[in-house]
Amino acid sequence: MSGDDSLRVVFARHRWRLLLAVVLLLVTMLAGIGLLGLSGGFLTAAALAGALGAGATFNFFSPSAGIRALTLVRIASRYFEKLVGHDATLRIARDLRVWFFRRALPLAPARLGGTRTGELLARLMSDIGEVDGLLVRAVGPLLALAGSALATIAVAACIHWPAAALLLLLSLLVGIGVPVLAVRHGDAGEAARALHRTRLRALAYEGLEGAADLAALGALDDWRARVEGAARQLAGDDHRRRGRLIAGNVLHSACAGLGLLAMLWLALSAFQDGRIEAPLAATLVFLTVALLEVAAGCGLAWQALQSARISAARLRAIVEQPPSVVDPASPHSLPEPPATLSFEQVVFAWPGETRRLLDGIDLQLRPGERIAIRGDSGCGKTTLSALLLRLWDPQQGSVRWGGVDLREVAQDDWHRRVAWLPQGAPVFAGSIADNLRLGDPQADEARLWAVLEQVRLGEWARHQGGLSAWVGENGATMSAGQARRLAMARALLRDAPLMVLDEPTEGLDVDTADALLVDLAQALGPRSLLMITHGHLPEGVVHRQYRLQSGRLMPETGEVRSQVIEPS
C-alpha cells in the first residue's frame, strides 16, 4: 500500500474539525484561567477597599464586566468544544473502520487466515477505540495546555517577570516532567494490556460461537475458567495502569503544592517590596492555581497518547502485511467467454514449508465442462481452488484463462468471471432476498424464486413468509443443509462463466444431495464447473472425476494417465 492510505491520512481528512476542537479547548482553558485570575485580583481589591474605609476607591466595572464576559465565553466555548470534538471523533471512528476494512480485505483469506476472528474483532473494536480519540483525548489537550501555559506566562511576565520564570518551570515540570516520569515504563504495560484485552475478546467470541459444542463436550467449565483467567489478567493490567496514573497525580499534587507556595512567597515579597500592587499579587497566585488545575489532566492525556500509539501499531501490524498476490502495473485484458481454464505444470508449497502440495499439475477445463476433484484432507484440493481464484500464485507453472496468465490480469477482472461457493459459506443476518442478492444485486423477485426452486428451497421460503423472511444471525432459523443450499443459490445467481464449488453437499442427506447435484448440473447451462467433494456424485453430474494424491492428479479409476482432460 502507498503512503496515501495511511492512518495519518485518515486524521488529515478531518484536520479542520480537529483544529477547531483544539482552538475551542484552548479558549475554554484560557477563559477558565483568566476567570480565576481576574476574580482573585478583583476580590482582593474589593476586600482592601472595604478595609481601608469610605475614602478608598477601586475599579469595579471593568473587572466585573470582564468576569461576566469570561464566564459566557467559557460556557459557550466548552459547549462547542464538546460538540465539535465528539463530532470529529465519531467521524474519525467511522473512517478508521472503513480504512481497516479496505486495507484488510485484500489480505483475506490468504494472509488473514492465520488470525483468530476474535483477535480481528478486538483490533476492530478496542484498538480503533483507542486510536480514534488520539487527537481529542491526547494531542489536543496537550496542545491546548501548552498554549494556555504560554499565555499565562506572558500575562505573568507583564506583571512580574520572576513570576513568569516560576510559571515556566512549573509548566515544564507538571506538563512534561511528571507525566513522562509516570508513564516511562508504560509501553510494555500498554502492550500487555492490549494483548490480554484481545485474548479476552477472542475467548468470549469463540465461546459464544461454539457454546453448543462446548456444552456437548462438557467443556463449559474449562472455558469459563479460561475467560475468568483472561479477565483477571486484564483487570490486573488496568489496576497497574491506574496505579501509574495515581502515582503521577500524587507527584503532580506535590509539585503543585510546592509551586503554589513558591508563587505565594514570590508575590508577597514583590508586594512587600512595592514592586506590584496587592490585587496583582493575588492575580499571580490565582493564575498559578488555575494553570495547575488545567494541568491536572496532563497525565491522563499522556497515558491516552501512549495507549493510542500501541493500538495504532497493532492495527498496522495487520493491514501492512504484504498481500499474497499483487496486480500487475499494466494488467492485460481477459478474453471474453467461452474460454478454457488451464493449469500448466503448476507447483505450489505453502510459505515456510518444503512439501509440495501441488507438484506439476496439468489440467484443462473447457467451456461447459464439469470436473470433480477428490482427495484426502490436506492433500491440496482447497489449495488448487485458491490458485484458481488467485488468492495465491504458483511458485512454478501458470494458471491461464483463454491462454492469458492470471498473474498478468487485474484480480477484480478475473473474480468477475468466477462464482465461488466455499466450504462453510456464511449466511448473513438479513432476509432471504438480502442473502441472495449478494450474488446479483439487480436480480428481480422472479429470478430469486427461480433459483430457490433450483436448489429445492422454494417451499421452505414460502413457508417462512417469502423473500422478506428473516434468516437470523448465521442462518439461525435454518438447518445446516438449508443454509448450504441458500449459499449455493447465491452462487448460481452470479453471472459468471466458471463456478467453483468446495464441498457443495456438506450437511445434506444422500437423497437431497443427489437431487441437488442433478439440479445443479441442469442449472449450470453453458457454465464450466470445478467441484471439490468427498461425496458420491450421481451419474451425469460431471464429465470427469480426478483424485489429487501426492501433489498429482489421477483419474478416479486409479489408472494413471494423462492429466489433460480430453474434450467430451
Side-chain angles (χ1 to χ4, degrees), residues 343-385:
F343 288 75
E344 300 178 0
Q345 285 295 302
V346 168
V347 173
F348 184 81
W350 288 109
E353 296 186 9
T354 57
R355 184 174 74 94
R356 292 181 172 184
L357 280 172
L358 305 177
D359 191 8
I361 294 293
D362 285 309
L363 180 65
Q364 285 188 355
L365 179 61
R366 293 174 181 167
E369 286 189 318
R370 303 187 295 274
I371 296 175
I373 297 179
R374 304 173 185 276
D376 299 331
S377 296
C379 71
K381 302 186 303 299
T382 301
T383 302
L384 187 71
S385 68

mmCIF file of all heavy atoms in Angstrom, residues 343-385:
data_model
loop_
_atom_site.group_PDB
_atom_site.id
_atom_site.type_symbol
_atom_site.label_atom_id
_atom_site.label_comp_id
_atom_site.label_asym_id
_atom_site.label_seq_id
_atom_site.Cartn_x
_atom_site.Cartn_y
_atom_site.Cartn_z
ATOM 1 N N PHE A 343 -4.404 -25.348 -16.054
ATOM 2 C CA PHE A 343 -3.274 -25.398 -15.123
ATOM 3 C C PHE A 343 -2.118 -26.029 -15.890
ATOM 4 O O PHE A 343 -2.258 -27.142 -16.424
ATOM 5 C CB PHE A 343 -3.601 -26.257 -13.900
ATOM 6 C CG PHE A 343 -4.574 -25.635 -12.954
ATOM 7 C CD1 PHE A 343 -5.931 -25.569 -13.263
ATOM 8 C CD2 PHE A 343 -4.161 -25.105 -11.731
ATOM 9 C CE1 PHE A 343 -6.838 -25.003 -12.387
ATOM 10 C CE2 PHE A 343 -5.056 -24.530 -10.860
ATOM 11 C CZ PHE A 343 -6.402 -24.480 -11.181
ATOM 12 N N GLU A 344 -0.984 -25.346 -15.925
ATOM 13 C CA GLU A 344 0.150 -25.822 -16.720
ATOM 14 C C GLU A 344 1.366 -25.994 -15.819
ATOM 15 O O GLU A 344 1.978 -25.016 -15.382
ATOM 16 C CB GLU A 344 0.450 -24.832 -17.854
ATOM 17 C CG GLU A 344 -0.721 -24.648 -18.809
ATOM 18 C CD GLU A 344 -0.442 -23.646 -19.904
ATOM 19 O OE1 GLU A 344 0.689 -23.088 -19.924
ATOM 20 O OE2 GLU A 344 -1.334 -23.401 -20.735
ATOM 21 N N GLN A 345 1.675 -27.257 -15.502
ATOM 22 C CA GLN A 345 2.854 -27.608 -14.693
ATOM 23 C C GLN A 345 2.908 -26.776 -13.399
ATOM 24 O O GLN A 345 3.946 -26.216 -13.037
ATOM 25 C CB GLN A 345 4.128 -27.415 -15.492
ATOM 26 C CG GLN A 345 4.379 -28.487 -16.547
ATOM 27 C CD GLN A 345 4.602 -29.862 -15.906
ATOM 28 O OE1 GLN A 345 5.506 -30.055 -15.092
ATOM 29 N NE2 GLN A 345 3.739 -30.816 -16.272
ATOM 30 N N VAL A 346 1.769 -26.728 -12.711
ATOM 31 C CA VAL A 346 1.644 -25.891 -11.520
ATOM 32 C C VAL A 346 2.306 -26.578 -10.327
ATOM 33 O O VAL A 346 2.029 -27.751 -10.028
ATOM 34 C CB VAL A 346 0.165 -25.591 -11.214
ATOM 35 C CG1 VAL A 346 0.008 -24.970 -9.823
ATOM 36 C CG2 VAL A 346 -0.393 -24.653 -12.274
ATOM 37 N N VAL A 347 3.177 -25.823 -9.645
ATOM 38 C CA VAL A 347 3.841 -26.282 -8.430
ATOM 39 C C VAL A 347 3.546 -25.264 -7.333
ATOM 40 O O VAL A 347 3.675 -24.055 -7.547
ATOM 41 C CB VAL A 347 5.364 -26.416 -8.638
ATOM 42 C CG1 VAL A 347 6.066 -26.739 -7.314
ATOM 43 C CG2 VAL A 347 5.666 -27.478 -9.686
ATOM 44 N N PHE A 348 3.168 -25.768 -6.147
ATOM 45 C CA PHE A 348 2.887 -24.845 -5.043
ATOM 46 C C PHE A 348 3.188 -25.520 -3.704
ATOM 47 O O PHE A 348 2.844 -26.684 -3.477
ATOM 48 C CB PHE A 348 1.416 -24.416 -5.048
ATOM 49 C CG PHE A 348 1.092 -23.402 -3.984
ATOM 50 C CD1 PHE A 348 1.361 -22.062 -4.173
ATOM 51 C CD2 PHE A 348 0.539 -23.795 -2.775
ATOM 52 C CE1 PHE A 348 1.072 -21.121 -3.190
ATOM 53 C CE2 PHE A 348 0.250 -22.881 -1.787
ATOM 54 C CZ PHE A 348 0.520 -21.530 -1.996
ATOM 55 N N ALA A 349 3.853 -24.765 -2.838
ATOM 56 C CA ALA A 349 4.083 -25.155 -1.441
ATOM 57 C C ALA A 349 3.796 -23.931 -0.585
ATOM 58 O O ALA A 349 4.077 -22.800 -0.981
ATOM 59 C CB ALA A 349 5.516 -25.632 -1.229
ATOM 60 N N TRP A 350 3.223 -24.144 0.586
ATOM 61 C CA TRP A 350 2.906 -23.013 1.456
ATOM 62 C C TRP A 350 4.182 -22.339 1.942
ATOM 63 O O TRP A 350 5.202 -23.001 2.137
ATOM 64 C CB TRP A 350 2.078 -23.484 2.656
ATOM 65 C CG TRP A 350 0.680 -23.853 2.282
ATOM 66 C CD1 TRP A 350 0.141 -25.107 2.245
ATOM 67 C CD2 TRP A 350 -0.360 -22.963 1.865
ATOM 68 N NE1 TRP A 350 -1.168 -25.062 1.830
ATOM 69 C CE2 TRP A 350 -1.500 -23.750 1.589
ATOM 70 C CE3 TRP A 350 -0.431 -21.586 1.691
ATOM 71 C CZ2 TRP A 350 -2.707 -23.192 1.160
ATOM 72 C CZ3 TRP A 350 -1.634 -21.034 1.263
ATOM 73 C CH2 TRP A 350 -2.745 -21.833 1.011
ATOM 74 N N PRO A 351 4.142 -21.012 2.110
ATOM 75 C CA PRO A 351 5.341 -20.292 2.573
ATOM 76 C C PRO A 351 5.905 -20.894 3.851
ATOM 77 O O PRO A 351 5.171 -21.191 4.796
ATOM 78 C CB PRO A 351 4.813 -18.872 2.825
ATOM 79 C CG PRO A 351 3.626 -18.738 1.916
ATOM 80 C CD PRO A 351 2.997 -20.113 1.881
ATOM 81 N N GLY A 352 7.213 -21.127 3.856
ATOM 82 C CA GLY A 352 7.877 -21.693 5.012
ATOM 83 C C GLY A 352 7.880 -23.207 5.050
ATOM 84 O O GLY A 352 8.459 -23.808 5.951
ATOM 85 N N GLU A 353 7.218 -23.864 4.090
ATOM 86 C CA GLU A 353 7.174 -25.321 4.051
ATOM 87 C C GLU A 353 7.881 -25.824 2.797
ATOM 88 O O GLU A 353 7.916 -25.151 1.760
ATOM 89 C CB GLU A 353 5.725 -25.823 4.077
ATOM 90 C CG GLU A 353 4.980 -25.470 5.356
ATOM 91 C CD GLU A 353 3.608 -26.101 5.404
ATOM 92 O OE1 GLU A 353 3.318 -26.953 4.517
ATOM 93 O OE2 GLU A 353 2.827 -25.750 6.297
ATOM 94 N N THR A 354 8.434 -27.020 2.899
ATOM 95 C CA THR A 354 9.146 -27.603 1.755
ATOM 96 C C THR A 354 8.284 -28.605 0.986
ATOM 97 O O THR A 354 8.539 -28.872 -0.185
ATOM 98 C CB THR A 354 10.424 -28.306 2.241
ATOM 99 O OG1 THR A 354 10.076 -29.304 3.214
ATOM 100 C CG2 THR A 354 11.381 -27.299 2.872
ATOM 101 N N ARG A 355 7.251 -29.154 1.654
ATOM 102 C CA ARG A 355 6.408 -30.155 0.989
ATOM 103 C C ARG A 355 5.547 -29.490 -0.079
ATOM 104 O O ARG A 355 4.843 -28.523 0.185
ATOM 105 C CB ARG A 355 5.512 -30.864 1.995
ATOM 106 C CG ARG A 355 4.676 -31.994 1.385
ATOM 107 C CD ARG A 355 3.923 -32.732 2.455
ATOM 108 N NE ARG A 355 2.791 -31.995 2.975
ATOM 109 C CZ ARG A 355 1.540 -32.120 2.519
ATOM 110 N NH1 ARG A 355 1.288 -32.968 1.522
ATOM 111 N NH2 ARG A 355 0.566 -31.432 3.057
ATOM 112 N N ARG A 356 5.613 -30.040 -1.283
ATOM 113 C CA ARG A 356 4.813 -29.511 -2.381
ATOM 114 C C ARG A 356 3.408 -30.113 -2.318
ATOM 115 O O ARG A 356 3.242 -31.323 -2.507
ATOM 116 C CB ARG A 356 5.458 -29.834 -3.716
ATOM 117 C CG ARG A 356 6.777 -29.096 -3.966
ATOM 118 C CD ARG A 356 7.334 -29.467 -5.333
ATOM 119 N NE ARG A 356 8.488 -28.639 -5.680
ATOM 120 C CZ ARG A 356 9.114 -28.715 -6.850
ATOM 121 N NH1 ARG A 356 8.708 -29.599 -7.769
ATOM 122 N NH2 ARG A 356 10.137 -27.923 -7.100
ATOM 123 N N LEU A 357 2.420 -29.257 -2.093
ATOM 124 C CA LEU A 357 1.042 -29.739 -2.134
ATOM 125 C C LEU A 357 0.616 -30.034 -3.567
ATOM 126 O O LEU A 357 -0.167 -30.959 -3.816
ATOM 127 C CB LEU A 357 0.101 -28.702 -1.517
ATOM 128 C CG LEU A 357 0.036 -28.675 0.012
ATOM 129 C CD1 LEU A 357 -0.783 -27.487 0.480
ATOM 130 C CD2 LEU A 357 -0.571 -29.960 0.549
ATOM 131 N N LEU A 358 1.079 -29.226 -4.479
ATOM 132 C CA LEU A 358 0.813 -29.438 -5.900
ATOM 133 C C LEU A 358 2.168 -29.547 -6.587
ATOM 134 O O LEU A 358 3.026 -28.676 -6.439
ATOM 135 C CB LEU A 358 0.011 -28.265 -6.475
ATOM 136 C CG LEU A 358 -1.303 -27.925 -5.758
ATOM 137 C CD1 LEU A 358 -1.959 -26.701 -6.386
ATOM 138 C CD2 LEU A 358 -2.262 -29.105 -5.773
ATOM 139 N N ASP A 359 2.340 -30.621 -7.338
ATOM 140 C CA ASP A 359 3.665 -30.911 -7.898
ATOM 141 C C ASP A 359 3.536 -31.249 -9.384
ATOM 142 O O ASP A 359 3.471 -32.413 -9.772
ATOM 143 C CB ASP A 359 4.301 -32.073 -7.141
ATOM 144 C CG ASP A 359 5.764 -32.268 -7.483
ATOM 145 O OD1 ASP A 359 6.319 -31.408 -8.191
ATOM 146 O OD2 ASP A 359 6.349 -33.268 -7.050
ATOM 147 N N GLY A 360 3.459 -30.206 -10.210
ATOM 148 C CA GLY A 360 3.375 -30.419 -11.655
ATOM 149 C C GLY A 360 1.976 -30.720 -12.143
ATOM 150 O O GLY A 360 1.781 -31.643 -12.947
ATOM 151 N N ILE A 361 0.976 -29.972 -11.689
ATOM 152 C CA ILE A 361 -0.412 -30.204 -12.077
ATOM 153 C C ILE A 361 -0.655 -29.679 -13.486
ATOM 154 O O ILE A 361 -0.358 -28.530 -13.801
ATOM 155 C CB ILE A 361 -1.379 -29.511 -11.094
ATOM 156 C CG1 ILE A 361 -1.285 -30.146 -9.708
ATOM 157 C CG2 ILE A 361 -2.814 -29.558 -11.611
ATOM 158 C CD1 ILE A 361 -1.787 -31.578 -9.662
ATOM 159 N N ASP A 362 -1.217 -30.538 -14.334
ATOM 160 C CA ASP A 362 -1.705 -30.152 -15.658
ATOM 161 C C ASP A 362 -3.186 -30.466 -15.729
ATOM 162 O O ASP A 362 -3.612 -31.590 -15.419
ATOM 163 C CB ASP A 362 -0.982 -30.923 -16.765
ATOM 164 C CG ASP A 362 0.433 -30.415 -17.002
ATOM 165 O OD1 ASP A 362 0.577 -29.185 -17.179
ATOM 166 O OD2 ASP A 362 1.373 -31.223 -16.971
ATOM 167 N N LEU A 363 -3.975 -29.481 -16.103
ATOM 168 C CA LEU A 363 -5.426 -29.671 -16.144
ATOM 169 C C LEU A 363 -6.038 -28.645 -17.085
ATOM 170 O O LEU A 363 -5.602 -27.492 -17.120
ATOM 171 C CB LEU A 363 -6.013 -29.502 -14.740
ATOM 172 C CG LEU A 363 -7.519 -29.665 -14.586
ATOM 173 C CD1 LEU A 363 -7.946 -31.091 -14.896
ATOM 174 C CD2 LEU A 363 -7.956 -29.259 -13.191
ATOM 175 N N GLN A 364 -7.033 -29.099 -17.864
ATOM 176 C CA GLN A 364 -7.781 -28.183 -18.707
ATOM 177 C C GLN A 364 -9.263 -28.340 -18.437
ATOM 178 O O GLN A 364 -9.768 -29.456 -18.351
ATOM 179 C CB GLN A 364 -7.495 -28.432 -20.193
ATOM 180 C CG GLN A 364 -6.145 -27.930 -20.664
ATOM 181 C CD GLN A 364 -5.998 -28.028 -22.164
ATOM 182 O OE1 GLN A 364 -6.867 -28.553 -22.854
ATOM 183 N NE2 GLN A 364 -4.881 -27.530 -22.681
ATOM 184 N N LEU A 365 -9.925 -27.205 -18.300
ATOM 185 C CA LEU A 365 -11.375 -27.173 -18.122
ATOM 186 C C LEU A 365 -11.934 -26.326 -19.256
ATOM 187 O O LEU A 365 -11.804 -25.100 -19.254
ATOM 188 C CB LEU A 365 -11.734 -26.579 -16.760
ATOM 189 C CG LEU A 365 -13.226 -26.448 -16.442
ATOM 190 C CD1 LEU A 365 -13.908 -27.814 -16.448
ATOM 191 C CD2 LEU A 365 -13.433 -25.759 -15.108
ATOM 192 N N ARG A 366 -12.528 -26.999 -20.211
ATOM 193 C CA ARG A 366 -13.013 -26.313 -21.390
ATOM 194 C C ARG A 366 -14.429 -25.786 -21.163
ATOM 195 O O ARG A 366 -15.103 -26.204 -20.223
ATOM 196 C CB ARG A 366 -12.959 -27.252 -22.595
ATOM 197 C CG ARG A 366 -11.520 -27.579 -22.959
ATOM 198 C CD ARG A 366 -11.402 -28.601 -24.038
ATOM 199 N NE ARG A 366 -9.991 -28.882 -24.316
ATOM 200 C CZ ARG A 366 -9.574 -29.912 -25.026
ATOM 201 N NH1 ARG A 366 -10.444 -30.778 -25.511
ATOM 202 N NH2 ARG A 366 -8.279 -30.095 -25.241
ATOM 203 N N PRO A 367 -14.868 -24.861 -21.986
ATOM 204 C CA PRO A 367 -16.191 -24.260 -21.778
ATOM 205 C C PRO A 367 -17.288 -25.304 -21.675
ATOM 206 O O PRO A 367 -17.390 -26.207 -22.519
ATOM 207 C CB PRO A 367 -16.375 -23.379 -23.026
ATOM 208 C CG PRO A 367 -14.985 -23.055 -23.462
ATOM 209 C CD PRO A 367 -14.167 -24.263 -23.133
ATOM 210 N N GLY A 368 -18.092 -25.208 -20.632
ATOM 211 C CA GLY A 368 -19.212 -26.117 -20.436
ATOM 212 C C GLY A 368 -18.858 -27.427 -19.777
ATOM 213 O O GLY A 368 -19.752 -28.218 -19.446
ATOM 214 N N GLU A 369 -17.588 -27.711 -19.539
ATOM 215 C CA GLU A 369 -17.184 -28.965 -18.906
ATOM 216 C C GLU A 369 -17.333 -28.874 -17.391
ATOM 217 O O GLU A 369 -17.224 -27.801 -16.798
ATOM 218 C CB GLU A 369 -15.743 -29.314 -19.255
ATOM 219 C CG GLU A 369 -15.579 -29.805 -20.683
ATOM 220 C CD GLU A 369 -14.180 -30.339 -20.932
ATOM 221 O OE1 GLU A 369 -13.225 -29.694 -20.462
ATOM 222 O OE2 GLU A 369 -14.054 -31.374 -21.582
ATOM 223 N N ARG A 370 -17.552 -30.048 -16.795
ATOM 224 C CA ARG A 370 -17.711 -30.136 -15.340
ATOM 225 C C ARG A 370 -16.767 -31.213 -14.817
ATOM 226 O O ARG A 370 -16.790 -32.354 -15.293
ATOM 227 C CB ARG A 370 -19.164 -30.459 -14.971
ATOM 228 C CG ARG A 370 -20.143 -29.445 -15.518
ATOM 229 C CD ARG A 370 -21.549 -29.682 -14.993
ATOM 230 N NE ARG A 370 -22.131 -30.948 -15.447
ATOM 231 C CZ ARG A 370 -22.781 -31.118 -16.589
ATOM 232 N NH1 ARG A 370 -22.948 -30.081 -17.419
ATOM 233 N NH2 ARG A 370 -23.270 -32.290 -16.928
ATOM 234 N N ILE A 371 -15.951 -30.804 -13.836
ATOM 235 C CA ILE A 371 -14.915 -31.691 -13.301
ATOM 236 C C ILE A 371 -15.075 -31.765 -11.784
ATOM 237 O O ILE A 371 -15.363 -30.765 -11.128
ATOM 238 C CB ILE A 371 -13.506 -31.170 -13.644
ATOM 239 C CG1 ILE A 371 -13.293 -31.176 -15.147
ATOM 240 C CG2 ILE A 371 -12.418 -31.974 -12.952
ATOM 241 C CD1 ILE A 371 -11.972 -30.558 -15.556
ATOM 242 N N ALA A 372 -14.885 -32.955 -11.234
ATOM 243 C CA ALA A 372 -14.843 -33.153 -9.783
ATOM 244 C C ALA A 372 -13.448 -33.602 -9.387
ATOM 245 O O ALA A 372 -12.842 -34.439 -10.066
ATOM 246 C CB ALA A 372 -15.874 -34.191 -9.352
ATOM 247 N N ILE A 373 -12.960 -33.055 -8.287
ATOM 248 C CA ILE A 373 -11.645 -33.417 -7.752
ATOM 249 C C ILE A 373 -11.822 -33.902 -6.329
ATOM 250 O O ILE A 373 -12.410 -33.213 -5.492
ATOM 251 C CB ILE A 373 -10.671 -32.225 -7.805
ATOM 252 C CG1 ILE A 373 -10.433 -31.817 -9.261
ATOM 253 C CG2 ILE A 373 -9.353 -32.563 -7.128
ATOM 254 C CD1 ILE A 373 -9.515 -30.635 -9.419
ATOM 255 N N ARG A 374 -11.311 -35.108 -6.072
ATOM 256 C CA ARG A 374 -11.390 -35.710 -4.746
ATOM 257 C C ARG A 374 -9.995 -35.809 -4.145
ATOM 258 O O ARG A 374 -8.997 -35.560 -4.807
ATOM 259 C CB ARG A 374 -12.010 -37.109 -4.830
ATOM 260 C CG ARG A 374 -13.373 -37.182 -5.481
ATOM 261 C CD ARG A 374 -13.785 -38.649 -5.638
ATOM 262 N NE ARG A 374 -15.026 -38.791 -6.345
ATOM 263 C CZ ARG A 374 -16.231 -38.704 -5.780
ATOM 264 N NH1 ARG A 374 -16.306 -38.468 -4.481
ATOM 265 N NH2 ARG A 374 -17.326 -38.828 -6.501
ATOM 266 N N GLY A 375 -9.959 -36.226 -2.909
ATOM 267 C CA GLY A 375 -8.682 -36.436 -2.250
ATOM 268 C C GLY A 375 -8.830 -36.402 -0.751
ATOM 269 O O GLY A 375 -9.851 -35.935 -0.216
ATOM 270 N N ASP A 376 -7.826 -36.927 -0.060
ATOM 271 C CA ASP A 376 -7.847 -36.918 1.399
ATOM 272 C C ASP A 376 -7.707 -35.499 1.928
ATOM 273 O O ASP A 376 -7.214 -34.601 1.234
ATOM 274 C CB ASP A 376 -6.716 -37.799 1.951
ATOM 275 C CG ASP A 376 -6.855 -39.243 1.521
ATOM 276 O OD1 ASP A 376 -8.000 -39.687 1.306
ATOM 277 O OD2 ASP A 376 -5.813 -39.914 1.373
ATOM 278 N N SER A 377 -8.118 -35.302 3.176
ATOM 279 C CA SER A 377 -7.971 -33.991 3.791
ATOM 280 C C SER A 377 -6.497 -33.598 3.832
ATOM 281 O O SER A 377 -5.629 -34.400 4.192
ATOM 282 C CB SER A 377 -8.536 -34.015 5.218
ATOM 283 O OG SER A 377 -9.924 -34.259 5.186
ATOM 284 N N GLY A 378 -6.224 -32.362 3.443
ATOM 285 C CA GLY A 378 -4.854 -31.870 3.460
ATOM 286 C C GLY A 378 -4.042 -32.208 2.236
ATOM 287 O O GLY A 378 -2.845 -31.911 2.193
ATOM 288 N N CYS A 379 -4.690 -32.795 1.217
ATOM 289 C CA CYS A 379 -3.919 -33.198 0.035
ATOM 290 C C CYS A 379 -3.690 -32.041 -0.925
ATOM 291 O O CYS A 379 -2.867 -32.149 -1.844
ATOM 292 C CB CYS A 379 -4.613 -34.349 -0.684
ATOM 293 S SG CYS A 379 -6.142 -33.869 -1.517
ATOM 294 N N GLY A 380 -4.428 -30.928 -0.773
ATOM 295 C CA GLY A 380 -4.205 -29.779 -1.630
ATOM 296 C C GLY A 380 -5.381 -29.403 -2.502
ATOM 297 O O GLY A 380 -5.242 -28.549 -3.384
ATOM 298 N N LYS A 381 -6.570 -29.994 -2.252
ATOM 299 C CA LYS A 381 -7.733 -29.670 -3.095
ATOM 300 C C LYS A 381 -8.117 -28.201 -2.958
ATOM 301 O O LYS A 381 -8.326 -27.499 -3.954
ATOM 302 C CB LYS A 381 -8.929 -30.549 -2.697
ATOM 303 C CG LYS A 381 -8.678 -32.040 -2.784
ATOM 304 C CD LYS A 381 -9.942 -32.830 -2.528
ATOM 305 C CE LYS A 381 -10.586 -32.508 -1.177
ATOM 306 N NZ LYS A 381 -9.706 -32.808 -0.039
ATOM 307 N N THR A 382 -8.232 -27.726 -1.710
ATOM 308 C CA THR A 382 -8.599 -26.326 -1.495
ATOM 309 C C THR A 382 -7.490 -25.405 -1.975
ATOM 310 O O THR A 382 -7.759 -24.290 -2.456
ATOM 311 C CB THR A 382 -8.904 -26.089 -0.010
ATOM 312 O OG1 THR A 382 -9.977 -26.955 0.396
ATOM 313 C CG2 THR A 382 -9.310 -24.657 0.246
ATOM 314 N N THR A 383 -6.233 -25.850 -1.888
ATOM 315 C CA THR A 383 -5.124 -25.053 -2.411
ATOM 316 C C THR A 383 -5.263 -24.884 -3.920
ATOM 317 O O THR A 383 -4.996 -23.800 -4.460
ATOM 318 C CB THR A 383 -3.792 -25.745 -2.083
ATOM 319 O OG1 THR A 383 -3.678 -25.915 -0.673
ATOM 320 C CG2 THR A 383 -2.622 -24.931 -2.590
ATOM 321 N N LEU A 384 -5.707 -25.932 -4.597
ATOM 322 C CA LEU A 384 -5.930 -25.852 -6.038
ATOM 323 C C LEU A 384 -6.973 -24.777 -6.359
ATOM 324 O O LEU A 384 -6.788 -23.958 -7.264
ATOM 325 C CB LEU A 384 -6.376 -27.215 -6.566
ATOM 326 C CG LEU A 384 -6.496 -27.348 -8.084
ATOM 327 C CD1 LEU A 384 -5.124 -27.338 -8.730
ATOM 328 C CD2 LEU A 384 -7.246 -28.621 -8.451
ATOM 329 N N SER A 385 -8.063 -24.760 -5.580
ATOM 330 C CA SER A 385 -9.093 -23.732 -5.805
ATOM 331 C C SER A 385 -8.571 -22.344 -5.449
ATOM 332 O O SER A 385 -8.948 -21.344 -6.066
ATOM 333 C CB SER A 385 -10.356 -24.058 -5.003
ATOM 334 O OG SER A 385 -10.124 -23.933 -3.613
#
